[in-house]
Amino acid sequence: MSDKTIKELADELNVSKQTVQYHVKFLPTKYLSKNDKKIITINKTGQSYLKGKIKKESTKITNKKPTKKRQTIQQKMTNFSNNN
């Protein structure tokens, strides 16, 4: 695993570039550098850290129970589909 750009890491993790950029803001600069095209790259240690943070975040999101509002919207969508 070599240095990767934000886009490469986002593609690998199946998340948006914005998600990776958000987490990169909190990364110590020793994990970042710029390549010859002046694009920010993340070293192996930084990648491992970000992968852990982003996977933990996505687990939280997928394990959320539907709120009352989400349930109501889902019920309305189901009723609408059944009536048409």
Side-chain angles (χ1 to χ4, degrees), residues 8-75:
E8 290 170 337
L9 192 57
D11 290 344
E12 182 180 323
L13 297 173
N14 268 345
V15 296
S16 68
K17 287 188 330 185
Q18 289 81 6
T19 298
V20 176
Q21 286 172 332
Y22 172 81
H23 290 285
V24 164
K25 289 190 298 188
F26 304 105
L27 211 75
T29 54
K30 66 182 179 182
Y31 300 133
L32 304 172
S33 60
K34 289 189 177 182
N35 64 13
D36 53 340
K37 295 179 182 179
K38 306 292 185 211
I39 297 172
I40 294 172
T41 59
I42 307 154
N43 68 20
K44 290 187 261 186
T45 309
Q47 290 173 44
S48 296
Y49 175 81
L50 288 174
K51 286 177 183 180
K53 290 294 268 184
I54 292 171
K55 285 181 181 176
K56 192 181 286 186
E57 287 287 319
S58 65
T59 303
K60 282 183 186 176
I61 292 169
T62 56
N63 288 339
K64 277 187 175 178
K65 294 180 180 175
T67 62
K68 203 172 204 176
K69 186 175 184 177
R70 270 193 226 127
Q71 288 173 337
T72 304
I73 292 170
Q74 288 172 343
Q75 288 170 348

